[in-house]
């Protein structure tokens, strides 16, 4: 007897493998610049850390309600009102250990043999991994560079079949930094009214990370979808809290009991002290978020300029998140070869576009959540790598 067949269908997130290899090379004495892993390089703001410490000292050491402490769910509802302009019931919020968990629960709820789930490709690798694991067929929504890595609403609607159970959307997006325009989202929302049995998971984990004054447009703004819409967001990116494992999902009424039962089966509840820190994050001073975003903005412009100056490389200007996703087809290497070459020869960690799905071939992801100095050094090394490998303008 061996492990179940479905385990062989579970994928992974290459970012963690690259991180392990980069750490191993660093342990051997190599000077590594990590533009691979997708997490802010800033520490969690002090006021949030202090709130977590206080919660521990105040004795918040036990289990909490499976869906999260009420004060936290109320704080999330207020935050949704503030940033998305929509009033929701805090009882529809389920706090989970990281954004990934809302994703896993939604896919688990709708995925089974014979079902189809649509997902962005290139996109966050766990979508495809979990869809396959669930037994459903993954149906890629192709995100093309010429559309600024947005999707075409008509194209998405034309891919819906009578087996489609769930459509996953992600804007601002990982790995492309693309943002889907409000008009396209609106067109999609309107079209989805023709398919009342199809649920939507909108991954809005980068909702606060947009640039050039372009605000985030949430799928929550489309009233007609409300009863079949799941919103995924959390603290990881906005508040530099990736290691705290704090995320939230907004679930429609019909799915709440199922999501709660999954919580009880999988993790009981989220770390109590982290939940108190989460309240402070949402209600406290937002200045640190603004500061982090202006730093990301400067780095975004820098990496975009530097990448476009390299032979064989071209990069659209990212509009959200903290990733640049240049086209590297002119370099003459596959995405994976370039990822490995940059790490082995130059000590620059990046992620091959194919780690985000087959549509990512010809691209490579740089996380610009690193200092301008390191971005400059990494770009110098990339330039040197191209020169050594005979790539010229
Ligand atoms: N969704 C997207 C699009 C992401 O890029 C990530 C993390 O990189 C997540 C969800 C998961 O976030 P968390 O670390 O909170 O689980």
């Amino acid at each position: 007897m061996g492990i179940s067949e479905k385990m062989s269908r579970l994928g992974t997130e290459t970012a963690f493998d690259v991180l392990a290899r980069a750490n191993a090379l660093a342990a051997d004495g190599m000077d590594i610049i990590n533009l691979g892993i997708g997490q802010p390089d800033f520490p969690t703001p002090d006021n949030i850390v202090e709130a977590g410490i206080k919660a521990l000292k105040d004795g918040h050491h036990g289990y909490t309600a499976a869906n999260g402490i009420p004060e936290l769910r109320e704080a999330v509802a207020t935050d949704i009102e503030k940033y998305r302009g929509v009033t929701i019931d805090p009882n529809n919020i389920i706090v989970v250990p990281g954004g990934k968990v809302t994703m896993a629960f939604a896919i688990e709820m709708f995925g089974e043999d014979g079902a189809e789930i649509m997902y962005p490709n290139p996109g966050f690798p766990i979508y495809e991994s979990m869809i396959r694991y669930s037994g459903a067929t993954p149906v890629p929504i192709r995100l093309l560079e010429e559309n600024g890595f947005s999707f075409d609403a008509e194209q998405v609607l034309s891919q819906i079949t009578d087996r489609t159970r769930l459509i996953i959307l992600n804007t601002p997006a990982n790995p492309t930094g693309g943002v889907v325009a409000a008009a396209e989202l609106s067109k999609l929302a309107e079209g989805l009214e023709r398919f009342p049995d199809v649920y939507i998971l909108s991954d809005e984990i980068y909702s606060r990370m947009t640039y050039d004054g372009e605000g985030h447009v949430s799928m929550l703004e489309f009233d007609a979808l409300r009863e079949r819409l799941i919103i995924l967001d959390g603290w990881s990116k906005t508040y530099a809290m990736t290691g705290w494992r704090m995320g939230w999902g907004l679930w429609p009424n019909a799915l709440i009991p199922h999501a709660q039962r999954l919580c009880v089966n999988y993790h009981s509840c989220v770390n109590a002290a982290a939940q108190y820190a989460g309240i402070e994050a949402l209600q406290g001073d937002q200045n640190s978020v603004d500061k982090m975003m202006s730093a990301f903005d400067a780095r975004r412009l820098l990496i975009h300029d530097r990448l476009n100056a390299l032979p064989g490389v071209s990069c659209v200007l990212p509009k959200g998140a903290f990733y640049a996703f240049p086209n590297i087809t002119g370099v003459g290497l596959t995405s994976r070869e370039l990822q490995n070459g940059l790490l082995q020869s130059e000590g620059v960690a990046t992620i091959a576009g194919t780690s985000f799905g087959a549509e990512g071939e010809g691209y490579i992801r740089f996380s610009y959540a690193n200092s301008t100095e390191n971005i400059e050094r990494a770009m110098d090394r990339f330039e040197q790598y191209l020169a050594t490998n005979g790539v010229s303008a």
Side-chain angles (χ1 to χ4, degrees):
M1 234 173 58
I3 58 168
S4 71
E5 182 273 331
K6 68 177 190 296
M7 287 306 294
S8 68
R9 290 187 256 125
L10 199 55
T12 188
E13 202 181 335
T14 318
F16 286 97
D17 299 339
V18 171
L19 182 65
R21 275 166 53 204
N23 287 343
L25 289 170
D28 286 346
M30 192 167 186
D31 174 30
I32 300 290
I33 305 170
N34 197 336
L35 303 186
I37 195 84
Q39 69 178 342
D41 55 319
F42 295 92
T44 304
D46 280 348
N47 61 316
I48 302 174
V49 173
E50 289 303 327
I53 294 170
K54 179 171 184 310
L56 285 172
K57 290 199 167 147
D58 287 350
H60 294 292
H61 303 167
Y63 293 125
T64 73
N67 56 347
I69 55 178
E71 304 91 299
L72 179 58
R73 290 186 290 102
E74 274 156 29
V76 172
T78 306
D79 185 82
I80 289 176
E81 178 119 37
K82 181 169 166 194
Y83 291 104
R84 290 174 171 88
V86 178
T87 307
I88 60 110
D89 182 343
N91 289 323
N92 289 79
I93 297 295
I94 296 192
V95 179
V96 281
K100 260 182 186 167
V101 179
T102 299
M103 181 188 305
F105 284 4
I107 294 169
E108 187 140 21
M109 255 181 235
F110 292 98
E112 62 183 337
D113 286 349
E116 289 177 3
I117 298 182
M118 290 165 61
Y119 72 103
N121 190 333
F124 189 53
I126 301 305
Y127 304 140
E128 187 176 339
S129 163
M130 285 301 297
I131 296 168
R132 288 193 191 282
Y133 182 68
S134 77
T137 303
V139 178
I141 297 172
R142 293 180 67 201
L143 302 181
L144 301 176
E145 182 183 359
E146 56 262 40
N147 298 336
F149 294 112
S150 173
F151 56 71
D152 173 65
E154 287 306 328
Q155 174 71 33
V156 176
L157 293 165
S158 74
Q159 288 177 266
I160 298 177
T161 72
D162 54 6
R163 295 172 162 222
T164 308
R165 299 268 184 89
L166 180 71
I167 298 181
I168 303 175
L169 305 174
N170 173 221
T171 177
N174 178 7
T176 63
V179 167
V180 182
E184 213 57 43
L185 290 175
S186 171
K187 218 191 284 177
L188 179 69
E190 206 172 297
L192 283 171
E193 289 181 43
R194 299 201 308 271
F195 304 96
D197 296 331
V198 175
Y199 278 71
I200 300 105
L201 167 65
S202 184
D203 182 343
E204 303 184 3
I205 195 113
Y206 298 102
S207 62
R208 294 275 297 278
M209 300 190 150
T210 55
Y211 302 99
D212 301 326
E214 201 179 318
H216 170 66
V217 180
S218 171
M219 287 305 283
L220 203 49
E221 292 177 30
F222 305 105
D223 271 355
L225 300 180
R226 200 70 69 77
E227 284 312 309
R228 51 195 173 102
L229 175 66
I230 304 156
I231 302 277
L232 178 165
D233 201 340
W235 287 258
S236 296
K237 316 287 175 173
T238 309
Y239 298 103
M241 289 177 72
T242 49
W244 295 70
R245 307 312 300 136
M246 284 280 291
W248 58 259
L250 171 68
W251 295 83
N253 291 331
L255 302 183
I256 290 278
H258 303 291
Q260 294 218 28
R261 199 168 294 185
L262 283 166
C263 290
V264 173
N265 275 270
Y266 274 101
H267 58 262
S268 299
C269 66
V270 173
N271 176 304
Q275 294 191 53
Y276 284 92
I279 298 176
E280 174 60 23
L282 299 178
Q283 294 181 341
D285 192 350
Q286 301 295 301
N287 211 4
S288 38
V289 179
D290 298 340
K291 272 203 204 137
M292 187 167 80
M293 284 312 295
S294 18
F296 284 155
D297 195 9
R299 298 162 182 189
R300 171 181 79 117
L301 300 173
L302 169 67
I303 199 165
H304 174 253
D305 279 357
R306 289 290 314 257
L307 285 168
N308 278 312
L310 295 175
V313 179
S314 64
C315 184
V316 297
L317 183 65
K319 290 184 167 175
F322 41 72
Y323 307 112
F325 201 59
N327 183 322
I328 51 95
T329 44
V331 170
L333 295 173
T334 66
S335 302
R336 187 52 54 96
E337 285 165 347
L338 183 56
Q339 171 203 284
N340 292 341
L342 281 174
L343 182 58
Q344 291 300 136
S345 317
E346 306 294 336
V348 176
T350 64
I351 312 284
T354 41
S355 298
F356 304 96
E359 301 294 336
E361 184 54 88
Y363 299 88
I364 190 161
R365 190 191 80 174
F366 289 86
S367 161
Y368 52 85
N370 209 322
S371 65
T372 46
E373 189 200 356
N374 278 341
I375 292 170
E376 294 275 21
R377 287 170 61 226
M379 291 301 118
D380 292 345
R381 291 183 190 186
F382 192 1
E383 195 172 358
Q384 182 180 307
Y385 180 80
L386 294 175
T388 312
N389 287 277
V391 184
S392 54

